[in-house]
Amino acid sequence: MSTAPVVVADDSVVEKRLDDSRPAGRWHLPATTTVLGLIALVFFGLRGLPGAESVFALARETDLNPLGIVPERVTLPSQGGAIALSVLALAASAGLWVLHARRARPSRGVHIALIAVFAAAWVLAFMTWVISQRSLDVTTLLQGTIVLAVPLAFGALSGVLSERAGVINIAIEGQLLFGAFGATLVGSLTGNVWLGLLAAPLVALIMGALLALFAVGYQVQQIIVGVVLNVLAIGVTSFFFGTVMRDNPGLFNAPLRLPTLRIPVLADIPVIGRVLFEQNILVYLMWIIVAGLTIALFRTRWGLRVRAVGEHPKAADTVGIAVNLTRWKNVLLGAAVAGLGGATLTIGTGVAFGEEMSAGKGYIALAAMILGRYHPVGALLAALTFAFADSLQLRLGTMSAAEGGVSIPGDFLLMLPYVVALFAVAGVVGRVRVPAADGQPYVKQ
C-alpha cells in the first residue's frame, strides 16, 4: 500500500492511497486451470490410444490456396499430440500462477493471452484425443459454429440493450420463439421468405412491449415478468402450432430458407472462407449489428444516455433524460434484435416451426450476455464459445463407435454446451460489474 501527501489550495492535506492489494480469490482461476490441465494430461494424453492418429481436414482442392500454404490435412499422433497440448495448457496455467502471485494487479493483456492459450490448447487436446483414428473437417465444424451462434448472439445483444438501460431481460427465450413463429407464419402465408424475415422482429416486439409494459410501466418484479412471458410464449405458439400449423402445414408452416450469399474470392480462402463469406444475410447482419451497437453504446450521445439511465437514473432524469421512455425504447429494440435470432431457427436453417424449438437458447444467450460483461463484442465471443461446444457435440455425435477410436456417451455430448455455459458463467460470477440500476424500477419524483 503506497501513500503520498498532496497539498491542495486550502492548505488541507489529502492522503492519496494506491490500493495494490491482491483480491482474496486470486488463486481460483490458476487452481481451476491447473486441475483441468492435469485432467487433460492424464485422460487425453497418458490414457490415450497409443499408435493412433488424429486427422484435421483444413483446405479443399477448390480453395484459393497458392503453393499449398494451408495443408489439406494435418495428421497428429493422438497420444503424443494430446500430451504436448496438455503440457502447453499446464504451462499457460503456470503463467497464471506467476501472474496472480505478484502483488501488483496482473496486466489485463497478458492475463487474457494466457487464458486464450490455455483454452485453445485444452480444447485441441480434447479434440485430438476424441477423434483418434478418425478425421474431423475443421471448416464444417466452424460453419456449424457460426450458424449456431447467430440466435445466441442476437439474444445476447437483446439482453445488452435492455440491461444497459436498467431492465432485466429474462424474456429472451420468448422473444426468440415469437421471432421464429412470426418468420415461418408470414413467410408461409405470403410465399416470400424476405417478408418472413421482416415479420420476425415485428412479432417479437409483442414480447418486448409486454416486458416493457409490466417492468417499466407497472414496475412489476422484472425476473418474474420475464419468466411468465417465456411461459406465455410457449403456450401461445404451441396453441397455434397445434390448431393451425399442424393441420395445414403447406399454408401456415412451410419450410423456407434464406438464400446463401457468397462473396466471390473471399469465400475461396481456405478454412475461414466458407465460414465467414458464404452465409445467409442473418450472419452478415450479426456482424454489422455487433459493430454498430458497440459504436452506438460507447461512442455516441445516445449510448451515453442509455448507460446513464442504467447506472444512475435519478441523475439522468435531473439532466433532462426521459428515463422510462429510454427504457421502453431499448426493451423494444432489444426484442426486435432477438426476433432476428428467432428467424435463424426457422428460415435461417430451412426448417419448419416446431413447438418449443428455441430449446433454452434464450437462457444460454442470457449467460453469453453475462459472460460477455454486458458488452456487444464480449457477448458475441461468448455466443461463439457456446456455439462451438454445441457444434462439436453435433459433429462428434455423428462419429459412431463402429469407426473405432474413442466413444463418448450421447447423453454427455448433449449436455456439453450447457456444461460449458455453466462453468463459464460460474467463473465470472462476482467479478462482472452489473449496471448499477439494473432491475430497479424508476419513479419520477
Side-chain angles (χ1 to χ4, degrees):
M1 186 77 68
S2 61
T3 63
V6 179
V7 180
V8 295
D10 60 357
D11 294 332
S12 61
V13 177
V14 178
E15 192 174 278
K16 189 177 181 180
R17 294 176 178 269
L18 177 62
D19 185 8
D20 56 0
S21 60
R22 292 169 290 181
R26 63 188 181 277
W27 55 272
H28 290 171
L29 180 61
T32 301
T33 54
T34 300
V35 171
L36 290 175
L38 291 174
I39 290 174
L41 180 62
V42 173
F43 290 97
F44 306 158
L46 299 179
R47 299 194 63 181
L49 298 178
E53 291 184 339
S54 302
V55 180
F56 295 88
L58 300 178
R60 299 181 182 179
E61 294 181 359
T62 57
D63 286 342
L64 187 64
N65 190 21
L67 304 178
I69 297 175
V70 179
E72 291 188 12
R73 290 172 173 265
V74 173
T75 302
L76 296 176
S78 300
Q79 189 176 48
I83 290 174
L85 290 166
S86 300
V87 170
L88 178 60
L90 286 170
S93 181
L96 288 172
W97 276 111
V98 172
L99 204 62
H100 284 252
R102 298 167 56 191
R103 178 161 293 278
R105 290 185 179 274
S107 168
R108 183 173 178 82
V110 177
H111 190 255
I112 293 176
L114 286 173
I115 293 176
V117 170
F118 172 84
W122 198 94
V123 170
L124 286 174
F126 171 75
M127 293 170 61
T128 302
W129 168 72
V130 81
I131 66 168
S132 300
Q133 299 181 354
R134 289 173 287 197
S135 175
L136 178 67
D137 190 324
V138 176
T139 300
T140 301
L141 176 67
L142 295 179
Q143 279 182 311
T145 298
I146 295 295
V147 172
L148 293 169
V150 174
L152 300 181
F154 279 130
L157 293 175
S158 172
V160 170
L161 280 165
S162 299
E163 305 215 15
R164 278 288 182 177
V167 179
I168 297 176
N169 189 359
I170 302 294
I172 299 173
E173 180 83 2
Q175 293 164 2
L176 290 174
L177 198 57
F178 259 49
F181 175 77
T184 299
L185 182 63
V186 174
S188 299
L189 288 172
T190 61
N192 190 319
V193 69
W194 297 106
L195 290 178
L197 177 61
L198 291 175
L202 296 178
V203 175
L205 280 175
I206 298 173
M207 281 286 108
L210 290 173
L211 175 62
L213 176 64
F214 288 104
V216 180
Y218 292 113
Q219 300 167 10
V220 180
Q221 214 285 340
Q222 295 173 10
I223 295 177
I224 295 176
V225 170
V227 173
V228 170
L229 288 178
N230 287 336
V231 176
L232 175 65
I234 292 173
V236 170
T237 54
S238 297
F239 171 76
F240 280 104
F241 176 79
T243 58
V244 178
M245 288 181 162
R246 184 179 292 168
D247 293 338
N248 195 347
L251 180 60
F252 297 107
N253 196 18
L256 303 174
R257 184 165 192 161
L258 289 167
T260 298
L261 305 178
R262 189 177 191 276
I263 301 177
V265 182
L266 294 179
D268 295 323
I269 299 175
V271 185
I272 65 171
R274 288 184 298 277
V275 174
L276 299 178
F277 307 111
E278 193 173 346
Q279 300 284 357
N280 62 52
I281 192 172
L282 286 167
V283 176
Y284 299 121
L285 279 175
M286 178 181 70
W287 306 122
I288 293 171
I289 292 175
V290 168
L293 188 55
T294 301
I295 295 171
L297 274 176
F298 301 102
R299 294 290 185 270
T300 68
R301 181 179 299 178
W302 171 82
L304 181 61
R305 292 185 174 189
V306 168
R307 288 183 287 123
V309 167
E311 294 291 344
H312 203 311
K314 187 174 182 179
D317 190 14
T318 302
V319 298
I321 299 175
V323 173
N324 287 334
L325 179 60
T326 300
R327 289 182 170 181
W328 260 93
K329 290 179 178 179
N330 271 58
V331 171
L332 292 177
L333 181 59
V337 171
L340 292 174
T344 307
L345 302 176
T346 51
I347 61 175
T349 53
V351 299
F353 180 80
E355 290 183 271
E356 302 184 46
M357 69 181 309
S358 52
K361 288 182 173 59
Y363 299 107
I364 299 294
L366 193 64
M369 177 199 68
I370 297 171
L371 182 61
R373 299 175 182 270
Y374 300 87
H375 192 289
V377 175
L380 173 63
L381 294 176
L384 288 170
T385 301
F386 298 152
F388 178 81
D390 200 4
S391 179
L392 183 61
Q393 69 90 5
L394 290 173
R395 184 68 189 92
L396 295 179
T398 63
M399 295 181 178
S400 65
E403 296 177 9
V406 177
S407 178
I408 300 179
D411 292 337
F412 176 81
L413 292 176
L414 289 175
M415 73 178 186
L416 180 62
Y418 303 97
V419 172
V420 171
L422 179 64
F423 277 96
V425 175
V428 300
V429 166
R431 296 189 289 117
V432 174
R433 184 184 176 279
V434 179
D438 196 18
Q440 300 177 9
Y442 180 70
V443 180
K444 186 177 179 67
Q445 301 297 326

